[in-house]
Amino acid sequence: MTALRVLAVASEIYPLIKTGGLADVVGALPAALAPEDVLVRTIVPGYPSVMAALSSGETVMSIGDAFGAPARLVVGTVAGMDVIALDAPHLFDRPGNPYSGPDGKDWPDNWRRFAALSRAAADVALGALSGYRPDVVHCHDWQAGLTFAYMHFSAGPRPGAVMTIHNLAFQGQFSPALFHMLGLPDEAFAANGIEYYGAIGYLKAGLYYADRITTVSPGYAAEIRTPEEGMGLDGLLRARSGVMSGILNGIDADAWNPKTDPHLAANYTKKTVADRALNKTALQARLGLDQDPTTPLLGVVTRLTWQKGIDLLLANIPTVIAEGAQLAVLGTGEPGMEDGFRAAMGFHPGRIGAVIGYDEGLAHQVLAGSDAVLVPSRFEPCGLTQLYGLRYGTIPVVARVGGLSDTVVDANPAALGRGVATGVQFAPVTYEMMRVAIERTAALYRQPDVWKKMQANGMVSDVSWSDPARRYAALFRELLPA
Ligand code: ADP
């Protein structure tokens, strides 16, 4: 097998720049794919944190006019990854996160920032860097979507094109008035092109011109082809069903390993899972919860948003209390939800503990110290916290949607009878069914043998990148010329 060269195009890459799961995937794939003989180079915007990491990088290309001013491509190795940065200070040298300024508002020129990224990526894909020609270009989410449109309208042979959807809710739609500034031929602005209900759709463009489409779980791949979950793109996705598949995300199995996790009060393995009790005590102490080893402690680590079903959890706080359980919450998000947990702490001291904030170390402690982890998402492309739960012996209690339904085996009588259950699922995603799920979880907790078996099942399931990486590699190889 010859090594296969992949050019990845993304707006985030861990550990350089991260707002969500996208960055984790883009940052994990290079190392995960190396054993499959796939060499990944990743082109990203030159945000301040990226340029700082590439301070000793090498300039490999100058761009006279990158949507308004000159720019350059800088290459370097960061955290073992081969990174190309689009250094365009007029576009990316800004405070705030990758998409919005300190006031939280999207940058008004995002259309231009990510068109510039895509234009540069297409040029590299087509051989602009001497000595480098990728076999496959792998685009992530809408920010990379125009890459395949630029490739399509360029002459000469072009590499294979794989588009991965991390979250269909973000589509990159812009005014049609901007079309003439994108540098695409008029024919591109069509239903069979980048036009999307009269506007410009960056994700739509990527999906239309890609040779293969993937998303981050088989369940989500099926859901987004329905009118209910397709967010306006289901028609196109149904038309492209033949080239579409779902590949689950893995987790960083080094960072999330209960045996070595430096954040824990006590490390443990499947054999020493009883030592989790020390983490429970420590978590109860940190969050001001009653020191009670026998109460079921339910953990939550999440963005506090409607997507994540957090309103349903707030409504179910009386259920938690009625079941004699405790709740440990770590999250930030919608102010009303943050206030909801602050109020719940006041009403139920010792039973509800919440930290409103983003805290990587505490996230590990919540996973290791809770008996179960709740993930009541209304939709969930893949989800990571339930995977951490499996690895940490923390029973995932999840909505039966997307990647959650693919990764957790519900403790129904059949699964319990065969000894294969790993968690609790509920559907539909309503207050009522979540209440039932919490009640079921508490009942399972009171059956220690059943609980221990579920913990053990989860702890041996493979949630690493090995299997997903094999699937991506196989998909990339399908696109090599025969
Ligand atoms: P999404 O990307 O939609 O937010 P995922 O489950 O795919 O959801 O990934 C969320 C990641 O962010 C997980 O690694 C989770 O542990 C982490 N996370 C979310 N909120 C917090 C927080 N407040 N503190 C620490 N980590 C968090």
Side-chain angles (χ1 to χ4, degrees):
M1 227 168 18
T2 51
L4 187 131
R5 276 163 304 183
V6 170
L7 175 68
V9 188
S11 60
E12 301 184 25
I13 184 167
Y14 182 84
L16 299 184
I17 180 86
K18 167 173 169 169
T19 69
L22 164 69
D24 290 323
V25 176
V26 175
L29 277 175
L33 283 165
E36 304 296 326
D37 227 4
V38 175
L39 306 176
V40 181
R41 269 192 134 169
T42 310
I43 181 165
V44 294
Y47 309 115
S49 61
V50 171
M51 295 321 299
L54 283 180
S55 57
S56 53
E58 183 196 346
T59 300
V60 289
M61 190 173 130
S62 297
I63 302 170
D65 179 11
F67 289 83
R72 59 185 187 131
L73 295 184
V74 179
V75 302
T77 305
V78 188
M81 298 180 298
D82 187 352
V83 175
I84 307 175
L86 173 59
D87 183 24
H90 63 296
L91 302 176
F92 301 120
D93 187 10
R94 302 179 187 182
N97 82 24
Y99 318 114
S100 51
D103 61 0
K105 291 204 183 96
D106 280 356
W107 295 111
D109 63 343
N110 274 348
W111 67 272
R112 163 173 91 120
R113 301 170 78 223
F114 296 105
L117 175 70
S118 297
R119 176 73 259 179
D123 290 342
V124 172
L126 297 168
L129 300 187
S130 76
Y132 181 67
R133 273 217 175 242
D135 301 296
V136 172
V137 179
H138 186 191
C139 285
H140 297 270
D141 274 355
W142 73 265
Q143 296 88 355
L146 284 191
T147 306
F148 296 153
Y150 288 122
M151 281 165 55
H152 179 84
F153 290 104
S154 300
R158 59 176 191 83
V162 178
M163 183 80 219
T164 293
I165 305 167
H166 296 266
N167 190 338
L168 194 66
F170 304 112
Q171 299 188 354
Q173 285 161 26
F174 299 101
S175 161
L178 300 168
F179 176 75
H180 71 282
M181 293 194 277
L182 293 178
L184 285 164
D186 287 348
E187 62 181 296
F189 190 71
N192 289 334
I194 76 167
E195 188 264 344
Y196 180 70
Y197 293 112
I200 298 168
Y202 281 28
L203 179 62
K204 148 87 203 281
L207 297 174
Y208 181 77
Y209 290 112
D211 298 316
R212 294 285 188 282
I213 297 168
T214 75
T215 187
V216 290
S217 69
Y220 194 59
E223 285 170 3
I224 61 180
R225 279 176 276 183
T226 66
E228 293 75 24
E229 305 294 332
M231 299 187 169
L233 283 167
D234 50 293
L236 173 61
L237 293 173
R238 277 195 300 281
R240 305 229 59 201
S241 272
V243 298
M244 189 170 165
S245 59
I247 302 177
L248 281 168
N249 291 337
I251 64 169
D252 182 336
D254 295 324
W256 288 92
N257 181 353
K259 188 177 175 183
T260 53
D261 190 333
H263 302 292
L264 307 194
N267 289 110
Y268 60 95
T269 62
K270 182 168 149 277
K271 277 205 186 100
T272 61
V273 72
D275 290 347
R276 292 184 95 259
L278 299 166
N279 293 307
K280 184 170 179 175
T281 308
L283 181 63
Q284 285 171 329
R286 171 135 187 213
L287 294 189
L289 295 166
D290 295 338
Q291 291 283 329
D292 178 354
T294 63
T295 180
L297 174 48
L298 312 176
V300 181
V301 180
T302 185
R303 294 186 284 120
L304 303 176
T305 64
W306 181 87
Q307 180 202 330
K308 300 292 181 181
I310 297 309
D311 49 320
L312 305 177
L313 174 61
L314 280 164
N316 265 299
I317 282 178
T319 315
V320 173
I321 301 299
E323 290 300 314
Q326 294 179 339
L327 187 63
V329 178
L330 170 63
T332 55
E334 292 173 19
M337 296 183 180
E338 295 182 347
D339 287 343
F341 286 112
R342 288 192 192 100
M345 277 197 290
F347 280 123
H348 307 287
R351 307 291 296 284
I352 310 288
V355 171
I356 305 303
Y358 191 97
D359 186 332
E360 194 78 32
L362 183 56
H364 289 245
Q365 291 157 10
V366 171
L367 264 298
S370 302
D371 296 298
V373 59
L374 304 180
V375 194
S377 308
R378 287 194 168 84
F379 68 93
E380 193 59 81
C382 177
L384 290 174
T385 31
Q386 87 280 10
L387 302 179
Y388 303 148
L390 292 172
R391 188 124 206 260
Y392 275 58
T394 322
I395 302 298
V397 179
V398 304
R400 187 182 301 140
V401 297
L404 301 175
S405 69
D406 289 327
T407 52
V408 174
V409 182
D410 179 58
N412 57 49
L416 287 173
R418 284 187 288 125
V420 297
T422 60
V424 173
Q425 294 191 350
F426 65 94
V429 191
T430 59
Y431 155 78
E432 263 299 303
M433 295 317 287
M434 188 178 184
R435 178 175 64 75
V436 174
I438 293 170
E439 289 166 0
R440 284 176 63 207
T441 304
L444 289 163
Y445 182 76
R446 287 182 224 107
Q447 304 168 62
D449 291 344
V450 176
W451 192 264
K452 277 188 204 132
K453 175 68 178 149
M454 288 171 65
Q455 280 183 313
N457 290 344
M459 291 183 85
V460 297
S461 50
D462 181 6
V463 291
S464 76
W465 273 103
S466 312
D467 182 63
R470 273 193 297 276
R471 290 173 193 270
Y472 276 111
L475 183 89
F476 294 152
R477 285 188 202 284
E478 284 177 19
L479 297 178
L480 290 179

PDB file of all heavy atoms in Angstrom, residues 60-79:
ATOM      1  N   VAL A  60       5.698  29.486   2.352  1.00  0.00           N
ATOM      2  CA  VAL A  60       5.838  28.677   1.137  1.00  0.00           C
ATOM      3  C   VAL A  60       5.094  29.275  -0.044  1.00  0.00           C
ATOM      4  O   VAL A  60       5.244  28.795  -1.170  1.00  0.00           O
ATOM      5  CB  VAL A  60       5.351  27.227   1.370  1.00  0.00           C
ATOM      6  CG1 VAL A  60       6.318  26.473   2.263  1.00  0.00           C
ATOM      7  CG2 VAL A  60       3.939  27.209   1.937  1.00  0.00           C
ATOM      8  N   MET A  61       4.290  30.288   0.190  1.00  0.00           N
ATOM      9  CA  MET A  61       3.564  30.870  -0.932  1.00  0.00           C
ATOM     10  C   MET A  61       3.074  32.265  -0.547  1.00  0.00           C
ATOM     11  O   MET A  61       2.653  32.482   0.585  1.00  0.00           O
ATOM     12  CB  MET A  61       2.357  29.990  -1.266  1.00  0.00           C
ATOM     13  CG  MET A  61       1.657  30.342  -2.560  1.00  0.00           C
ATOM     14  SD  MET A  61       0.388  29.084  -2.898  1.00  0.00           S
ATOM     15  CE  MET A  61      -0.994  30.146  -3.200  1.00  0.00           C
ATOM     16  N   SER A  62       3.145  33.173  -1.507  1.00  0.00           N
ATOM     17  CA  SER A  62       2.577  34.504  -1.300  1.00  0.00           C
ATOM     18  C   SER A  62       1.318  34.627  -2.142  1.00  0.00           C
ATOM     19  O   SER A  62       1.260  34.117  -3.257  1.00  0.00           O
ATOM     20  CB  SER A  62       3.566  35.584  -1.730  1.00  0.00           C
ATOM     21  OG  SER A  62       4.710  35.503  -0.914  1.00  0.00           O
ATOM     22  N   ILE A  63       0.333  35.290  -1.581  1.00  0.00           N
ATOM     23  CA  ILE A  63      -0.929  35.505  -2.302  1.00  0.00           C
ATOM     24  C   ILE A  63      -1.084  37.017  -2.450  1.00  0.00           C
ATOM     25  O   ILE A  63      -1.097  37.737  -1.448  1.00  0.00           O
ATOM     26  CB  ILE A  63      -2.110  34.906  -1.517  1.00  0.00           C
ATOM     27  CG1 ILE A  63      -1.896  33.400  -1.283  1.00  0.00           C
ATOM     28  CG2 ILE A  63      -3.435  35.166  -2.242  1.00  0.00           C
ATOM     29  CD1 ILE A  63      -2.888  32.769  -0.328  1.00  0.00           C
ATOM     30  N   GLY A  64      -1.179  37.487  -3.698  1.00  0.00           N
ATOM     31  CA  GLY A  64      -1.225  38.932  -3.937  1.00  0.00           C
ATOM     32  C   GLY A  64      -2.475  39.571  -3.369  1.00  0.00           C
ATOM     33  O   GLY A  64      -2.421  40.615  -2.733  1.00  0.00           O
ATOM     34  N   ASP A  65      -3.608  38.919  -3.583  1.00  0.00           N
ATOM     35  CA  ASP A  65      -4.875  39.500  -3.128  1.00  0.00           C
ATOM     36  C   ASP A  65      -5.778  38.398  -2.573  1.00  0.00           C
ATOM     37  O   ASP A  65      -6.431  37.697  -3.325  1.00  0.00           O
ATOM     38  CB  ASP A  65      -5.572  40.224  -4.287  1.00  0.00           C
ATOM     39  CG  ASP A  65      -6.908  40.821  -3.846  1.00  0.00           C
ATOM     40  OD1 ASP A  65      -7.179  40.845  -2.626  1.00  0.00           O
ATOM     41  OD2 ASP A  65      -7.676  41.246  -4.734  1.00  0.00           O
ATOM     42  N   ALA A  66      -5.772  38.246  -1.265  1.00  0.00           N
ATOM     43  CA  ALA A  66      -6.638  37.261  -0.615  1.00  0.00           C
ATOM     44  C   ALA A  66      -7.874  38.005  -0.110  1.00  0.00           C
ATOM     45  O   ALA A  66      -7.946  38.381   1.048  1.00  0.00           O
ATOM     46  CB  ALA A  66      -5.919  36.556   0.527  1.00  0.00           C
ATOM     47  N   PHE A  67      -8.805  38.267  -1.017  1.00  0.00           N
ATOM     48  CA  PHE A  67     -10.046  38.944  -0.655  1.00  0.00           C
ATOM     49  C   PHE A  67      -9.771  40.251   0.081  1.00  0.00           C
ATOM     50  O   PHE A  67     -10.254  40.485   1.164  1.00  0.00           O
ATOM     51  CB  PHE A  67     -10.954  38.023   0.159  1.00  0.00           C
ATOM     52  CG  PHE A  67     -11.548  36.906  -0.666  1.00  0.00           C
ATOM     53  CD1 PHE A  67     -10.814  35.756  -0.911  1.00  0.00           C
ATOM     54  CD2 PHE A  67     -12.812  37.024  -1.213  1.00  0.00           C
ATOM     55  CE1 PHE A  67     -11.347  34.741  -1.684  1.00  0.00           C
ATOM     56  CE2 PHE A  67     -13.341  36.017  -1.996  1.00  0.00           C
ATOM     57  CZ  PHE A  67     -12.621  34.865  -2.233  1.00  0.00           C
ATOM     58  N   GLY A  68      -8.954  41.094  -0.562  1.00  0.00           N
ATOM     59  CA  GLY A  68      -8.817  42.452  -0.039  1.00  0.00           C
ATOM     60  C   GLY A  68      -7.415  42.880   0.330  1.00  0.00           C
ATOM     61  O   GLY A  68      -7.150  44.072   0.449  1.00  0.00           O
ATOM     62  N   ALA A  69      -6.511  41.967   0.555  1.00  0.00           N
ATOM     63  CA  ALA A  69      -5.140  42.329   0.930  1.00  0.00           C
ATOM     64  C   ALA A  69      -4.226  41.124   0.690  1.00  0.00           C
ATOM     65  O   ALA A  69      -4.717  39.996   0.551  1.00  0.00           O
ATOM     66  CB  ALA A  69      -5.093  42.756   2.399  1.00  0.00           C
ATOM     67  N   PRO A  70      -2.927  41.355   0.678  1.00  0.00           N
ATOM     68  CA  PRO A  70      -2.012  40.228   0.471  1.00  0.00           C
ATOM     69  C   PRO A  70      -2.033  39.265   1.659  1.00  0.00           C
ATOM     70  O   PRO A  70      -2.407  39.636   2.783  1.00  0.00           O
ATOM     71  CB  PRO A  70      -0.631  40.890   0.349  1.00  0.00           C
ATOM     72  CG  PRO A  70      -0.896  42.341   0.119  1.00  0.00           C
ATOM     73  CD  PRO A  70      -2.218  42.641   0.751  1.00  0.00           C
ATOM     74  N   ALA A  71      -1.617  38.027   1.406  1.00  0.00           N
ATOM     75  CA  ALA A  71      -1.555  37.007   2.453  1.00  0.00           C
ATOM     76  C   ALA A  71      -0.433  36.049   2.082  1.00  0.00           C
ATOM     77  O   ALA A  71       0.197  36.182   1.035  1.00  0.00           O
ATOM     78  CB  ALA A  71      -2.889  36.264   2.547  1.00  0.00           C
ATOM     79  N   ARG A  72      -0.185  35.102   2.959  1.00  0.00           N
ATOM     80  CA  ARG A  72       0.840  34.091   2.646  1.00  0.00           C
ATOM     81  C   ARG A  72       0.454  32.779   3.296  1.00  0.00           C
ATOM     82  O   ARG A  72      -0.354  32.744   4.239  1.00  0.00           O
ATOM     83  CB  ARG A  72       2.213  34.544   3.117  1.00  0.00           C
ATOM     84  CG  ARG A  72       2.238  34.797   4.601  1.00  0.00           C
ATOM     85  CD  ARG A  72       3.567  35.366   5.096  1.00  0.00           C
ATOM     86  NE  ARG A  72       3.503  35.397   6.563  1.00  0.00           N
ATOM     87  CZ  ARG A  72       4.435  34.935   7.398  1.00  0.00           C
ATOM     88  NH1 ARG A  72       5.556  34.430   6.936  1.00  0.00           N
ATOM     89  NH2 ARG A  72       4.264  34.988   8.704  1.00  0.00           N
ATOM     90  N   LEU A  73       1.023  31.700   2.781  1.00  0.00           N
ATOM     91  CA  LEU A  73       0.850  30.389   3.410  1.00  0.00           C
ATOM     92  C   LEU A  73       2.127  30.059   4.169  1.00  0.00           C
ATOM     93  O   LEU A  73       3.229  30.173   3.626  1.00  0.00           O
ATOM     94  CB  LEU A  73       0.569  29.307   2.369  1.00  0.00           C
ATOM     95  CG  LEU A  73      -0.744  29.431   1.581  1.00  0.00           C
ATOM     96  CD1 LEU A  73      -0.923  28.228   0.641  1.00  0.00           C
ATOM     97  CD2 LEU A  73      -1.942  29.526   2.533  1.00  0.00           C
ATOM     98  N   VAL A  74       1.941  29.658   5.423  1.00  0.00           N
ATOM     99  CA  VAL A  74       3.070  29.324   6.297  1.00  0.00           C
ATOM    100  C   VAL A  74       2.909  27.874   6.725  1.00  0.00           C
ATOM    101  O   VAL A  74       1.817  27.480   7.145  1.00  0.00           O
ATOM    102  CB  VAL A  74       3.068  30.237   7.548  1.00  0.00           C
ATOM    103  CG1 VAL A  74       4.218  29.877   8.480  1.00  0.00           C
ATOM    104  CG2 VAL A  74       3.134  31.694   7.143  1.00  0.00           C
ATOM    105  N   VAL A  75       3.977  27.083   6.606  1.00  0.00           N
ATOM    106  CA  VAL A  75       3.871  25.683   7.022  1.00  0.00           C
ATOM    107  C   VAL A  75       4.783  25.427   8.215  1.00  0.00           C
ATOM    108  O   VAL A  75       5.817  26.069   8.387  1.00  0.00           O
ATOM    109  CB  VAL A  75       4.230  24.685   5.881  1.00  0.00           C
ATOM    110  CG1 VAL A  75       3.329  24.898   4.681  1.00  0.00           C
ATOM    111  CG2 VAL A  75       5.684  24.779   5.503  1.00  0.00           C
ATOM    112  N   GLY A  76       4.377  24.469   9.025  1.00  0.00           N
ATOM    113  CA  GLY A  76       5.185  24.088  10.168  1.00  0.00           C
ATOM    114  C   GLY A  76       4.588  22.860  10.838  1.00  0.00           C
ATOM    115  O   GLY A  76       3.478  22.436  10.504  1.00  0.00           O
ATOM    116  N   THR A  77       5.351  22.314  11.771  1.00  0.00           N
ATOM    117  CA  THR A  77       4.860  21.156  12.514  1.00  0.00           C
ATOM    118  C   THR A  77       4.489  21.618  13.916  1.00  0.00           C
ATOM    119  O   THR A  77       5.304  22.249  14.599  1.00  0.00           O
ATOM    120  CB  THR A  77       5.944  20.069  12.598  1.00  0.00           C
ATOM    121  OG1 THR A  77       6.362  19.774  11.264  1.00  0.00           O
ATOM    122  CG2 THR A  77       5.409  18.805  13.251  1.00  0.00           C
ATOM    123  N   VAL A  78       3.256  21.348  14.301  1.00  0.00           N
ATOM    124  CA  VAL A  78       2.789  21.740  15.631  1.00  0.00           C
ATOM    125  C   VAL A  78       2.144  20.527  16.278  1.00  0.00           C
ATOM    126  O   VAL A  78       1.271  19.898  15.675  1.00  0.00           O
ATOM    127  CB  VAL A  78       1.725  22.863  15.565  1.00  0.00           C
ATOM    128  CG1 VAL A  78       1.417  23.365  16.963  1.00  0.00           C
ATOM    129  CG2 VAL A  78       2.163  23.989  14.668  1.00  0.00           C
ATOM    130  N   ALA A  79       2.566  20.190  17.486  1.00  0.00           N
ATOM    131  CA  ALA A  79       2.006  19.045  18.209  1.00  0.00           C
ATOM    132  C   ALA A  79       1.985  17.805  17.302  1.00  0.00           C
ATOM    133  O   ALA A  79       1.021  17.045  17.296  1.00  0.00           O
ATOM    134  CB  ALA A  79       0.599  19.368  18.725  1.00  0.00           C
TER     135      ALA A  79
END
